[in-house]
Each structure stands twice: as structure tokens, then as C-alpha cells.
């Protein structure tokens, strides 16, 4: 009977650990676990984080979004409270370019869209007094324009959406309390829709105005919880995070509630984490960690196979960026029968 070497022309690799970036069809024997393994399409992506170009203006507590690792936008933040910045930067896959600033200074905002069509909303200011912001601004690829305000100003909110004409803002802080309030943006005005199952803030978020996820959060009992929006109402998912956290980033270029990548954040009460998890529509799987543990305030760009972790909260150094890269394969243990 022909063996693997005669069929493929080379023997099965004998390794003491799984290879970092296997390709579909690759097989090897893991001598540490004494198992035969192989890579196939589907399942949790076998990805790694690597350093990318830092922002030109180092800041935290901003927001970001974008459809890919070659097309992301970083918006606002602070260079150390209470100094707010209105900088906007565009990423092309290798470097960041400063473009026109937005109009109303604030931080810890919501955002949605792409590098050519984005919406920025909510946020907070510290001076002359701590205040909720309800301002909304649209980005057309060149400049920002102020448009209709949110019905309810808030900050530390979740956000999702595909463009400047379609977005969702949910939860957040309305001083002095947190909220479950959800609003939908159609390019012209905000409409109040069904609330989250429970008030929450500082959650990770991804998806579109009709298919979104709220991931983790700060409210009591919400650190591991995940809720799904179907365009009409929210539902709490049975699939919870393996590592509960708040201030976590997420893949903002994924416009669906059936898949997501979330990373970083803070494990209550104060520990920053580098933990990264992948959602396949039914379960969360822990994958390779960030290079630097950090809080990201729901910012991020890209997909489950190519993402950017962009800004941080009040954890130095500000402005560092990491890129997630993963082939669409999964490692499985193989049987010999």
C-alpha cells in the first residue's frame, strides 16, 4: 500500500509545535502532543498579530473603522486627558496620512463606515464641564460635515454600520447612568429603535445597522455576554466570551452578526489583556494574542482574517497599531483509522 511520501513526494513533518501559518492540506505530527494534525478551510483562523505603522498623532480614546487592513480610518481621541484632538488619519496598508479634522472636539465616540464614507457620533468632553455629546458628522472621503444630532447624547457607546448613510449606536453612558438605548441612522436622521436587553457601556462592537454584535462590556454581569441585533431587536446569545472584558476592540469591517474577531480590553477590575477571540456564529474560540495588552474602546478595522487594532484608552504608549493576519484555515487533530 502506498504511503504518504510516495503519494505526496515528501514525508509528514515531525514538529514539536504546530506551525504558525499552515496552508490548506498541510499535515504534520506534533511530537509534544503526540498527535497527527492537518489544516483545512473553515473554523477559527490561525492568525498572528504583528506591529504596523503607528499613528502620526499619538492618542487614545478615539474611534476607528474600515473595511480592510489596507483601508482604515482613525478619528479623534486625546493626547492625555483633558487635551482632545480632532485629527483624522487614513491607512493604506503601509502608512497613515493626516487628512481634514472633524469639527466638534470630543472623545470616546461611536463611528461606522469606510475611508470614503463614515459617520461619527456621540462622545464626551471634560471641560468646561463633563458633558454628553450628541453631535453627528459625516465623512465623504475629503471632509467632515455636521448633520442632525442623535436623539440622546452619550459616550462609551457601541457602534456598527457600513457607510455614512447606515449606522447603529447603542448603549453608552448618559450621565450619571448607563443606558440600553439604541438609535438607527439613515443618512439624514436618527430613529430610536428597540433597546439592548440591559444597559451597558464600553463594549466591543461590530456589524451593520441590520446585523450587529455587542461584545462584552462594563455593566455588572456583562463582561462575558454577547448580544445580537437582527435589524429589529436584540437577543442575548448563549455563546459567551471565554475571557470577559470591557474596552475591547473588534473587527469593524465585518458587517454581520454571524462572525467577529475581538481583542484586548480590560479584565475587571483593572488588568489590561492581549487576549483575542474569534466567533463563528455559534462559539467563541481563543486565538493568538496581541503583542501588547491594551484597551481599545471598541475601535478596530478589517475582518476576521485581516484586522487592525488601532487606538488605546488611557494606557501608554498611545498610538501603537497592530495588524492581524490569518489564512482561512483551521488546525484539526486527525485520526489514523
Amino acid at each position: 500500500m502506498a504511503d504518504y511520501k510516495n503519494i505526496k513526494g515528501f514525508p509528514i513533518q515531525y514538529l514539536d509545535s504546530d506551525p504558525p501559518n499552515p496552508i490548506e492540506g498541510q499535515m504534520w505530527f506534533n511530537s509534544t502532543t503526540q498527535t497527527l494534525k492537518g489544516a483545512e478551510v473553515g473554523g477559527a483562523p490561525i492568525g498572528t498579530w504583528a506591529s504596523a505603522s503607528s499613528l502620526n498623532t499619538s492618542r487614545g480614546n478615539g474611534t476607528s473603522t474600515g473595511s480592510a487592513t489596507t483601508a482604515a480610518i482613525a478619528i479623534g481621541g486625546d493626547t492625555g486627558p483633558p487635551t482632545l484632538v480632532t485629527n483624522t488619519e487614513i491607512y493604506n496598508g503601509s502608512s497613515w496620512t493626516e487628512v481634514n479634522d472633524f469639527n466638534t472636539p470630543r472623545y470616546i465616540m461611536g463611528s461606522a463606515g469606510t475611508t470614503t464614507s463614515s459617520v461619527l457620533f456621540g462622545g464626551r468632553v471634560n471641560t468646561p464641564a463633563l458633558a454628553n455629546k450628541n453631535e453627528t458628522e459625516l465623512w465623504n472621503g475629503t471632509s467632515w460635515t455636521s448633520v442632525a444630532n442623535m436623539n440622546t447624547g452619550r459616550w462609551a457607546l457601541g457602534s456598527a454600520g457600513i457607510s455614512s448613510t447606515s449606522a447603529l449606536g447603542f448603549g453608552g453612558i448618559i450621565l450619571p447612568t448607563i443606558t440600553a438605548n439604541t438609535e438607527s441612522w439613515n443618512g439624514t436622521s436618527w430613529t430610536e429603535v428597540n433597546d439592548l436587553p440591559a444597559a451597558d457601556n464600553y463594549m466591543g462592537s461590530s456589524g451593520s445597522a441590520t446585523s450587529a454584535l455587542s461584545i462584552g462590556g462594563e455593566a455588572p454581569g456583562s463582561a462575558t455576554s454577547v448580544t445580537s441585533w437582527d435589524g429589529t431587536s436584540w437577543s442575548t446569545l448563549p455563546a459567551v466570551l471565554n475571557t470577559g472584558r470591557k474596552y475591547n476592540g473588534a473587527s469593524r469591517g465585518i458587517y454581520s452578526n454571524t462572525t467577529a474577531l475581538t481583542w484586548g480590553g480590560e479584565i475587571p477590575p483593572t488588568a489590561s489583556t492581549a487576549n483575542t477571540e474569534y466567533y463563528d456564529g455559534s462559539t467563541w474560540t481563543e486565538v493568538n494574542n496581541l503583542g501588547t495588552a491594551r484597551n481599545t474602546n471598541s475601535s478596530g478595522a478589517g475582518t476576521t482574517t485581516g484586522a487592525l487594532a488601532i487606538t488605546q484608552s488611557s494606557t501608554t504608549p498611545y498610538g501603537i497599531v497592530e495588524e492581524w493576519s490569518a489564512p482561512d484555515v483551521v488546525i484539526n487533530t486527525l485520526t489514523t483509522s
Side-chain angles (χ1 to χ4, degrees):
M1 183 175 67
D3 59 20
Y4 185 86
K5 181 177 179 179
N6 289 332
I7 296 171
K8 293 292 187 180
F10 52 85
I12 292 176
Q13 293 176 293
Y14 191 85
L15 306 173
D16 59 9
S17 63
D18 295 334
N21 292 295
I23 61 175
E24 181 187 358
Q26 183 176 346
M27 295 176 62
W28 64 95
F29 184 79
N30 187 312
S31 61
T32 302
T33 61
Q34 293 291 297
T35 52
L36 179 66
K37 293 192 172 184
E40 61 184 9
V41 170
I46 309 162
T48 55
W49 291 98
S51 296
S53 298
S54 296
L55 297 173
N56 292 294
T57 300
S58 180
R59 61 287 208 354
N61 290 307
T63 187
S64 58
T65 191
S67 58
T69 55
T70 56
I73 183 169
I75 310 162
D78 70 84
T79 56
T83 305
L84 305 184
V85 295
T86 54
N87 299 68
T88 303
E89 297 187 37
I90 300 291
Y91 190 64
N92 64 4
S94 61
S95 61
W96 293 92
T97 300
E98 297 254 8
V99 290
N100 286 318
D101 293 353
F102 62 92
N103 298 296
T104 302
R106 56 219 150 111
Y107 69 137
I108 321 180
M109 312 86 78
S111 65
T114 68
T115 56
T116 58
S117 177
S118 285
V119 55
L120 174 68
F121 46 92
R124 94 174 201 184
V125 295
N126 294 328
T127 56
L130 184 60
N132 308 311
K133 303 297 286 183
N134 62 1
E135 284 86 348
T136 302
E137 299 186 35
L138 302 185
W139 171 256
N140 63 6
T142 302
S143 59
W144 292 95
T145 301
S146 296
V147 290
N149 292 342
M150 300 187 79
N151 294 293
T152 305
R154 85 283 296 275
W155 48 280
L157 67 160
S159 53
I162 62 174
S163 72
S164 63
T165 61
S166 181
L168 196 72
F170 45 93
I173 299 173
I174 304 171
L175 290 172
T177 62
I178 61 174
T179 183
N181 178 274
T182 302
E183 297 188 39
S184 178
W185 171 255
N186 63 6
T188 303
S189 61
W190 289 95
T191 301
E192 295 203 8
V193 291
N194 286 318
D195 290 352
L196 287 162
D200 202 4
N201 63 303
Y202 284 120
M203 66 284 269
S205 53
S206 66
S208 70
T210 58
S211 180
L213 291 174
S214 176
I215 307 164
E218 185 177 47
S222 69
T224 60
S225 69
V226 181
T227 55
S228 176
W229 172 256
D230 64 6
T232 302
S233 59
W234 293 95
S235 58
T236 301
L237 297 179
V240 297
L241 292 169
N242 295 288
T243 302
R245 82 283 298 273
K246 57 185 178 180
Y247 307 146
N248 45 311
S251 49
R252 306 292 300 282
I254 289 288
Y255 303 130
S256 167
N257 58 13
T258 60
T259 185
L261 190 75
T262 191
W263 56 81
E266 184 176 282
I267 301 172
T270 59
S272 294
T273 182
N275 179 275
T276 304
E277 298 190 37
Y278 165 78
Y279 180 62
D280 65 1
S282 60
T283 59
W284 289 91
T285 302
E286 294 201 6
V287 290
N288 284 321
N289 290 349
L290 286 161
T292 301
R294 56 170 128 175
N295 308 332
T296 57
N297 282 344
S298 190
S299 68
T303 69
T304 56
T305 57
L308 289 174
I310 299 173
T311 60
Q312 296 178 222
S313 61
S314 53
T315 304
T316 56
Y318 285 151
I320 62 172
V321 178
E322 292 187 48
E323 181 175 346
W324 168 262
S325 178
D328 190 22
V329 297
V330 60
I331 293 175
N332 277 329
T333 299
L334 307 178
T335 61
T336 56
S337 59

